[in-house]
């Protein structure tokens, strides 16, 4: 679910089936097996992507770095011809941006946080989703604020509290997730994604600067956890 929305734009344009799942490779399994095990729709060939930038297909139940490299090599082979100027990965990406716009994206991790306080912060945002829907902050209008719930389209199972989403009217978004590791406190993950249909050559940190300020205001992490400085930015 926190993966960049760039794939959503391509799927819509090409009329491909698209499923927004919670974080975790396990959620792809039923979709992969929809026809073979459940006798439902066959969604293969399949491509899966997750928030840590792992990519794979329906040949294995886990991200596959070798497959991802081969996929890119296949793309480059298809766009290059003998006797023609070399088409690079950069060229392919810029062509995508020219057609679909650019999704500037990063993730801030706040590690080792006090779990009760982090939980209180998440609960406050959860309680405010209705009030925040339609709210304008700076140049952004929150078209929808919610706590993501996933209903598996194959077996009907439900996964609740999978992330707090603030979906902006311009296609940008902010998402918060809370995860815990035994003995090391909680990790608050903040995903920031700015959609730009025309301005394609900005430095990512500069493109996200205003949206980051909005995200920090929405969560009030300074008030709850005493910091606005992430441990890791990816």
């Amino acid at each position: 679910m926190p993966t960049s929305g760039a794939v959503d734009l391509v799927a819509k344009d090409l009329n491909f089936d698209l499923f927004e799942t919670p974080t975790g490779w396990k959620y792809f399994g039923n979709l992969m097996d929809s026809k073979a095990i459940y006798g439902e729709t066959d969604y293969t060939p399949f491509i899966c992507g997750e928030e840590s930038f792992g990519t794979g297909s329906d040949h294995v139940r886990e991200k596959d770095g070798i497959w991802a490299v081969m996929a890119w090599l296949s793309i480059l082979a298809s766009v290059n011809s003998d006797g023609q100027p070399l088409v690079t990965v950069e060229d392919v990406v810029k062509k995508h941006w020219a057609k679909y716009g650019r999704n500037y994206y990063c993730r801030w991790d706040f590690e080792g946080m006090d779990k009760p306080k982090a939980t209180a912060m998440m609960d406050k945002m959860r309680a405010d989703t209705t009030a925040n829907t339609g709210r304008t902050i700076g140049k952004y209008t929150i078209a929808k604020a919610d706590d993501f719930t996933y209903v598996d389209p194959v077996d009907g199972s439900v996964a609740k509290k999978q992330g707090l989403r603030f979906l902006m009217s311009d296609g940008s978004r902010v998402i918060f997730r809370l995860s815990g590791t035994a003995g090391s406190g909680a990790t608050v993950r903040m995903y920031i994604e700015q959609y730009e249909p025309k301005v394609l050559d900005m430095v990512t940190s500069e493109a996200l600067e205003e949206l980051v300020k909005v995200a920090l205001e929405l969560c009030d992490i300074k008030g709850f956890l005493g910091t606005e400085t992430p441990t890791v930015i990816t």
Side-chain angles (χ1 to χ4, degrees):
M1 177 262 298
T3 305
S4 169
V7 68
D8 303 50
L9 300 172
V10 177
K12 181 179 181 181
D13 181 52
L14 299 178
N15 197 31
F16 286 169
D17 290 307
L18 175 74
F19 300 94
E20 185 176 20
T21 72
T23 297
W25 210 260
K26 64 182 181 181
Y27 291 104
F28 300 136
N30 278 358
L31 295 167
M32 294 177 181
D33 294 332
S34 179
K35 180 176 176 62
I37 294 180
Y38 296 94
E40 301 290 341
T41 305
D42 185 0
Y43 295 115
T44 57
F46 210 93
I47 183 169
C48 312
E50 66 164 4
E51 50 121 353
S52 62
F53 312 109
T55 310
S57 188
D58 50 298
H59 64 292
V60 66
R61 296 300 188 268
E62 186 54 273
K63 49 191 166 289
D64 184 345
I66 295 176
W67 182 91
V69 171
M70 295 297 290
W72 264 108
L73 289 174
S74 296
I75 292 169
L76 292 175
S78 71
V79 296
N80 279 283
S81 302
D82 290 341
Q84 299 299 316
L86 178 67
V87 179
T88 66
V89 171
E90 181 181 3
D91 296 326
V92 173
V93 170
K94 286 184 174 179
K95 184 177 180 180
H96 166 86
W97 292 344
K99 181 173 183 178
Y100 295 105
R102 183 172 177 182
N103 296 74
Y104 293 91
Y105 174 92
C106 78
R107 187 182 87 189
W108 286 23
D109 288 358
F110 298 84
E111 299 176 336
M113 298 291 102
D114 180 276
K115 189 164 187 178
K117 292 180 180 178
T119 300
M121 183 187 76
M122 298 293 287
D123 287 343
K124 179 65 167 60
M125 285 191 285
R126 187 173 292 112
D128 289 346
T129 52
T130 300
N132 276 320
T133 297
R135 178 184 174 190
T136 298
I137 309 178
K139 70 176 185 179
Y140 299 96
T141 297
I142 302 172
K144 182 179 183 180
D146 68 3
D147 189 1
F148 182 61
T149 294
Y150 178 65
V151 180
D152 191 300
V154 179
D155 67 7
S157 59
V158 178
K160 297 181 178 181
K161 295 185 176 181
Q162 295 300 308
L164 289 158
R165 306 188 302 174
F166 297 89
L167 310 179
M168 309 303 177
S169 59
D170 69 346
S172 302
R173 62 183 183 170
V174 176
I175 296 171
F176 295 90
R177 289 182 58 247
L178 179 64
S179 62
T181 303
S184 61
T187 297
V188 176
R189 303 194 194 279
M190 184 173 80
Y191 308 82
I192 310 105
E193 181 171 7
Q194 171 69 40
Y195 176 65
E196 289 286 352
K198 299 297 183 182
V199 185
L200 311 178
D201 58 352
M202 297 179 67
V203 175
T204 297
S205 59
E206 296 175 359
L208 297 174
E209 185 175 4
E210 189 170 351
L211 189 56
V212 165
K213 293 178 182 177
V214 169
L216 294 173
E217 179 179 342
L218 286 168
C219 69
D220 188 22
I221 195 168
K222 180 73 170 180
F224 280 95
L225 298 172
T227 185
E228 290 184 344
T229 304
T231 312
V232 180
I233 298 178
T234 53

